[in-house]
Amino acid sequence: MKVLVIGGGGREHALAWKLAQSPEAHEVFVAPGNAGTASEPKLINVPLAADDIDSLLEFVQIEKVDLTVVGPEDPLAAGIVDRFEDVGCRILGPRSNAAQLESSKGFCKDFMQRHNIPTANYRRFDNLNAARDYLSDHPLPVVIKADGLAAGKGVIIAATREQAEDALVGMLRDARFQDAGKSVVVEEYLEGQEASFICLVDGTDVVPLATSQDHKARDDGGTGPNTGGMGAYSPTPLITEILHERVMREIIRPTIEGMATEGEIYRGFLYAGLMIDASGNPRVLEYNCRFGDPETQPILMRLETDFLALCLAATEGRLASQSPQWDPRPALGVVLAIREYPASYPKGVSILGLEGAEGDADVKVFHAGTAQEGENTVTNGGRVLCVCALGNSLATAQSRAYQAVDVIEFEGMFCRRDIGGSAIT
Ligand code: AMP
Ligand code: GLY
């Protein structure tokens, strides 16, 4: 079979690497891919951008690609699945209407309210003065979210009224997030611990994947600016068996059934970002219509089942018969970023030590923002690599991942030193 993975980050390196392990996979194309995908057996980079839907469609038709798997959210929101399915090309992901669960926070909140799915209380605004009035006596902190996709930057947790005012003015008056911020969600601040609950859905049936936990803040101890994710591990001890059952019953199944009753069949990865409060109650912070980055990397390190077969089953409505097997050992991934991330950063810095970092099959360096320049692998993004390891305990996975991290070097290299720390202590 020929497979195409769309995207070029760490998530896509892991997706393509795992798909290629299937004996059925003969070629796995990655568009556009990175230096890591360029160097894997069976993987072939294709120089097409993830949002160039016309060219991607032409490519799969010429190459007779059997399955396309979409990594990032933008092409999903832009309707890549609609375009492919309408001409009979098999693709895994939600159609654009269903992808609104991620592409419109207001849609998502209204949907959860209609279906009694637990989430923070909220109001939607597109008028600055109305939003100001509402905020004037709202308890602090308060959370202000741009409605549309804003590359993870559209969520402001305002600790003071000035910060809240600044966020509202930035979005509703000054178009700080262009159209994405023309409408906002103002919501209650939730206390607790976060977990990532990612499932594969075929429209009706759901296969929950291994649980995980991301670290969104840039700096140790959960401080510093919000990022796309600085490291993750799987599973998370936060999601006990009882809580898992509750999340499936109170959140995941009502979401899929709710979409179906509203005429939007949900197919693809569904990622619930959860906040678990001190009493163990789960609430949805957000939905993503895709796998998480960097959660994908440690989760797929643990998957023992044929991932290609699982993805095909999802596109064919056959998930009821699937129960993936997981390596019982935890996996942990540390993101190596450029010091300036998430602000703008230099590119083209040489990366050293990659060959020495992967000692055995339990350690894997997934590439994110990398490119090949002749003999050199160089940086090409803010998040550069995700160094993952399996271990008999989370502590062992952590120490093996950091051992591999310490072999790698590039100018301005930066990582958190406490990934997994709170679950270990
Ligand atoms: P989102 O993109 O909606 O997941 O928001 C990004 C991050 O902001 C989340 O991972 C949380 O850390 C934080 N966040 C979002 N909504 C809330 C909320 N209602 N209460 C507390 N933290 C939140
Ligand atoms: N790691 C968070 C995300 O993928 O949105």
Side-chain angles (χ1 to χ4, degrees):
M1 275 197 173
K2 290 185 181 181
V3 183
L4 169 66
V5 173
I6 294 178
R11 165 183 50 211
E12 289 77 19
H13 186 182
L15 288 169
W17 165 82
K18 198 73 206 177
L19 287 163
Q21 288 175 9
S22 168
E24 297 300 319
H26 296 128
E27 284 171 311
V28 180
F29 300 104
V30 192
N34 56 38
T37 55
S39 67
E40 294 277 355
K42 291 198 205 173
L43 267 51
I44 302 165
N45 283 357
V46 182
L48 296 175
D51 58 0
D52 185 357
I53 297 178
D54 289 335
S55 303
L56 291 166
L57 182 54
E58 191 182 314
F59 177 80
V60 303
Q61 288 176 319
I62 291 171
E63 280 289 338
K64 299 194 168 39
V65 168
D66 299 283
L67 171 71
T68 299
V69 177
V70 187
E73 61 275 22
D74 295 287
L76 295 169
I80 192 168
V81 175
D82 312 51
R83 290 281 304 282
F84 275 47
E85 285 184 347
D86 291 349
V87 294
C89 294
R90 180 153 52 182
I91 183 164
L92 179 59
R95 291 171 76 92
S96 62
N97 277 346
Q100 287 179 93
L101 277 182
E102 175 168 7
S103 66
S104 166
K105 294 205 186 276
F107 172 92
C108 182
K109 296 294 290 190
D110 290 350
F111 172 86
M112 289 193 280
Q113 192 171 55
R114 282 197 294 282
H115 296 281
N116 292 316
I117 294 162
T119 187
N121 293 324
Y122 74 104
R123 288 274 301 273
R124 298 176 72 174
F125 295 97
D126 49 22
N127 177 284
L128 179 59
N129 286 330
R132 275 181 173 143
D133 276 354
Y134 178 72
L135 269 177
S136 64
D137 57 357
H138 194 290
L140 295 172
V142 60
V143 185
I144 297 164
K145 300 183 172 183
D147 183 76
L149 295 178
K153 299 194 175 99
V155 174
I156 312 285
I157 296 174
T160 64
R161 305 232 171 258
E162 292 67 38
Q163 286 170 2
E165 165 75 10
D166 186 56
L168 284 182
V169 167
M171 290 181 198
L172 292 173
R173 191 190 71 196
D174 298 343
R176 195 181 294 161
F177 299 104
Q178 290 81 37
D179 284 355
K182 273 189 171 165
S183 166
V184 300
V185 167
V186 176
E187 76 176 29
E188 166 198 16
Y189 177 79
L190 298 178
E191 306 260 8
Q193 296 198 69
E194 289 184 52
S196 304
F197 198 102
I198 304 173
C199 306
L200 184 54
V201 184
D202 70 3
T204 315
D205 288 299
V206 195
V207 167
L209 304 177
T211 62
S212 58
Q213 185 147 1
D214 185 14
H215 296 64
K216 289 216 170 144
R218 189 192 55 196
D219 300 318
D220 286 1
T223 57
N226 195 41
T227 72
M230 295 300 294
Y233 56 89
S234 169
T236 169
L238 259 184
I239 308 279
T240 59
E241 214 171 300
I242 292 170
L243 184 54
H244 196 281
E245 165 56 31
R246 261 188 85 182
V247 172
M248 290 300 289
R249 191 177 64 240
E250 295 175 14
I251 293 173
I252 302 295
R253 290 206 187 90
T255 299
I256 292 148
E257 285 158 18
M259 291 303 280
T261 57
E262 296 188 12
E264 304 299 346
I265 298 299
Y266 194 96
R267 203 177 292 112
F269 297 104
L270 179 67
Y271 166 149
L274 302 177
M275 186 70 92
I276 317 296
D277 73 15
S279 319
N281 298 309
R283 279 191 248 173
V284 179
L285 287 176
E286 63 162 348
Y287 269 123
N288 295 316
C289 291
R290 49 170 177 81
F291 231 127
D293 190 344
E295 292 95 323
T296 308
Q297 293 86 314
I299 291 175
L300 291 184
M301 286 282 285
R302 298 184 54 223
L303 181 64
E304 289 174 339
T305 303
D306 185 324
F307 187 44
L308 175 55
L310 212 53
C311 292
L312 288 170
T315 63
E316 292 167 0
R318 291 189 286 104
L319 281 183
S321 61
Q322 306 288 317
S323 48
Q325 300 301 306
W326 300 97
D327 190 324
R329 293 176 300 164
L332 181 143
V334 178
V335 169
L336 301 190
I338 286 272
R339 176 78 246 181
E340 292 83 348
Y341 176 74
S344 59
Y345 39 79
K347 292 185 179 180
V349 178
S350 287
I351 306 170
L352 306 175
L354 284 168
E355 311 71 38
E358 287 178 1
D360 59 46
D362 292 347
V363 178
K364 177 78 193 164
V365 179
F366 293 107
H367 288 228
T370 67
Q372 201 62 33
E373 273 181 9
E375 294 290 288
N376 280 342
T377 305
V378 300
T379 67
N380 192 38
R383 289 191 294 176
V384 178
L385 302 164
C386 180
V387 180
C388 291
L390 287 157
N392 286 329
S393 65
L394 190 58
T396 315
Q398 185 198 48
S399 70
R400 295 200 69 184
Y402 279 110
Q403 267 165 29
V405 163
D406 290 335
V407 175
I408 299 171
E409 253 182 274
F410 53 86
E411 203 183 307
M413 181 176 117
F414 170 77
C415 67
R416 274 182 68 160
R417 283 276 156 191
D418 64 346
I419 301 303
S422 60
I424 292 167
T425 56

